[in-house]
Amino acid sequence: MRDAEYDREIQATTGLLRAVIPANLAEKFGRAAGISAQDFQKCHPADGGTICAVDGSHSMAMESGSTALALFRAAQTTFRNQERIRRSLTPLKFALIGTELEDQTFPRLYQDCFGEVPETPLPNDERSRTASILMETLEYWVTEQMAKEIDPGALLLRDGPLRVSHASHDRVLIRIAQTCMHRGLDLAGVSKQSTATWGGGHPLLLSVSVLARSMRIHPPWWISIDPLILDHAPFSQWQHGQTYVVLLHSRARKPLKVELPRDLSSEEVSRIMDRLAACSADGRIPGYPYPLLDAHRSVVLTREVVEQVRTDLISGLIAGGIDRQTYEILFGDVHDEFARY
C-alpha cells in the first residue's frame, strides 16, 4: 500500500519542477529573450583540421573527519584529420586536505606548474572544491603547454567554461588566450552541464532547446546568449568568454554550452562552430566533440584506479608501521559495514 505522505511529497515536488519547466517555456523564453528564428545560426560541418582537447579528473581516495586524500590528474589528446596523433597524461597527483585554513598542496603545485607563486591562497573550506581547483591547476598547465606546441590554426578545446574558479588561475587563462591569438589558434570551452538560468530559475539549455524545436530549427545550430537575460552574471573579472548554446548533431540528446573568446567576428564564430560540428558525429555520443570524449576516457579516475591507489596506500602505511586498527580509526567508513547487512 502506498504511503500517503510519500505521495504528497511526490506531488509537491512535481509541482515545483513544473514551475521551473512550465508548459509554455518556449514561448515564455522567446518573448523574454527577444529571440527569433533568424537568431539561430546553422552549422556547416567542415574539415576540423588539428583539434586538441584537455580534460581533468579528481576523486577522494580516503576521507576522515580531520583529513582527506584527493587524487587528481589531467590529460590532452590531439587529433588531425580525425585520427589521434598524440595523447599524454600527467602523473597522478596526491593531496592531503586537512583542517588548515589554507590548502598546503596548492602553492607547491602552482609553483611547479607555472614557476611562480599563486597570488591568492586556496582556502580549505570545502574539500570537493579544493580538489577541483587543484585539478584545474593541472588542466590549465596542460592547456598552456598545448597552446604553445600544437599546429598554428588548430582548435584548442577545454572541458569547461572560459572562466576561472580561483583568482590565481585568472592570469594563466589570460596568457592562454593571448597565446592562442598570437599563434592563430581557435579556443573554445565546452560544458556538458550548465547552472545558467533565467527568469527566476528556468534552465537555459532546456529553454533554448525547446524554443528551437518550437521554431522547427533543425540541428546542427548555434545561438549567442545575451548575458543580461541570465539570473546570475558570473564575476565579470574572471569571465573571459561569450556564451553560446549549440546543438551539434541531428541525433544529439541535448545541447551544450560553448564559450568563445570575446570580440570574435561573426565569421570567426561560424568557423569555430563548423569545426565543432565536424568533430561531433561520433556514433557513441553524437553531438559531443569526440576529442573531448577521448580526453575524458583517458583521464577519468575510475573506481578500479581509486581502489588500486587505496590498496597501495594501505600496504605502504602497514609497511611504515601503522597497524590496520589505526587505519580503520582514521579512515574506516562505517557505511561500508552498513552495506553488508
Side-chain angles (χ1 to χ4, degrees):
M1 183 177 178
R2 299 263 298 201
D3 181 83
E5 183 63 25
Y6 173 80
D7 287 340
R8 283 193 291 270
E9 287 293 325
I10 290 290
Q11 292 172 6
T13 302
T14 55
L16 292 173
L17 288 172
R18 175 48 69 188
V20 171
I21 46 174
N24 65 339
L25 180 61
E27 177 186 354
K28 187 175 181 179
F29 177 65
R31 186 170 58 250
I35 293 175
S36 68
Q38 288 68 41
D39 293 310
F40 288 88
Q41 307 298 314
K42 293 292 292 183
C43 294
H44 303 280
D47 180 15
T50 300
I51 302 174
C52 176
V54 179
D55 196 5
S57 182
H58 68 87
S59 180
M60 293 297 180
M62 298 177 177
E63 286 193 83
S64 72
S66 59
T67 190
L69 176 66
L71 313 176
F72 56 99
R73 62 185 181 185
Q76 71 80 25
T77 181
T78 303
F79 286 75
R80 183 184 296 137
N81 300 323
Q82 302 182 3
E83 292 188 7
R84 188 197 304 125
I85 60 172
R86 180 179 176 185
R87 180 168 61 183
S88 55
L89 191 65
T90 68
L92 186 60
K93 296 291 187 178
F94 296 64
L96 277 177
I97 303 174
T99 57
E100 301 91 349
L101 293 178
E102 297 174 1
D103 181 72
Q104 304 302 300
T105 302
F106 181 63
R108 296 194 301 270
L109 178 68
Y110 196 97
Q111 178 81 35
D112 289 345
C113 287
F114 306 116
E116 56 190 11
V117 178
E119 59 187 11
T120 306
L122 175 58
N124 260 343
D125 49 0
E126 204 277 309
R127 289 175 178 175
S128 180
R129 179 178 182 274
T130 299
S132 178
I133 290 174
L134 291 172
M135 176 199 71
E136 288 175 356
T137 303
L138 277 186
E139 283 185 332
Y140 282 120
W141 176 74
V142 173
T143 304
E144 185 169 30
Q145 297 308 305
M146 297 313 298
K148 297 174 182 177
E149 297 175 13
I150 56 176
D151 300 339
L155 172 60
L156 181 57
L157 301 179
R158 159 175 162 75
D159 182 69
L162 298 184
R163 181 184 72 250
V164 301
S165 303
H166 188 271
S168 293
H169 291 154
D170 194 56
R171 57 188 177 188
V172 181
L173 183 53
I174 290 173
R175 286 202 307 262
I176 291 168
Q178 291 173 340
T179 300
C180 288
M181 181 179 65
H182 293 154
R183 300 194 65 234
L185 305 176
D186 289 332
L187 176 65
V190 180
S191 301
K192 299 178 287 295
Q193 305 266 0
S194 175
T195 59
T197 60
W198 67 276
H202 303 306
L204 175 67
L205 295 186
L206 177 63
S207 300
V208 176
S209 181
V210 297
L211 179 61
R213 289 201 302 269
S214 73
M215 293 179 170
R216 301 186 185 280
I217 308 296
H218 300 290
W221 51 255
W222 61 270
I223 187 170
S224 178
I225 300 300
D226 184 348
L228 294 179
I229 195 177
L230 302 180
D231 289 330
H232 306 288
F235 187 32
S236 59
Q237 182 179 344
W238 295 356
Q239 175 71 36
H240 298 283
Q242 167 61 36
T243 298
Y244 302 83
V245 175
V246 305
L247 194 63
L248 295 173
H249 193 274
S250 59
R251 291 190 289 112
R253 294 179 57 188
K254 56 187 295 186
L256 305 172
K257 180 167 73 73
V258 170
E259 292 187 9
L260 304 181
R262 293 171 178 155
D263 302 323
L264 295 181
S265 68
S266 58
E267 291 78 12
E268 290 171 319
V269 173
S270 293
R271 184 188 69 242
I272 295 173
M273 296 304 184
D274 291 348
R275 298 182 76 177
L276 285 173
C279 67
S280 298
D282 189 291
R284 293 168 294 181
I285 308 181
Y288 187 72
Y290 61 75
L292 280 172
L293 171 62
D294 191 68
H296 170 80
R297 287 169 56 85
S298 301
V299 78
V300 64
L301 292 170
T302 62
R303 180 179 297 180
E304 290 75 18
V305 172
V306 176
E307 286 296 333
Q308 184 61 58
V309 169
R310 188 179 291 120
T311 298
D312 293 341
L313 284 169
I314 292 172
S315 298
L317 289 171
I318 292 173
I322 295 180
D323 59 52
R324 183 72 188 212
Q325 184 177 13
T326 300
Y327 166 81
E328 290 293 344
I329 293 172
L330 185 58
F331 289 114
D333 188 351
V334 71
H335 293 92
D336 292 338
E337 298 299 316
F338 291 167
R340 297 184 183 183
Y341 302 99

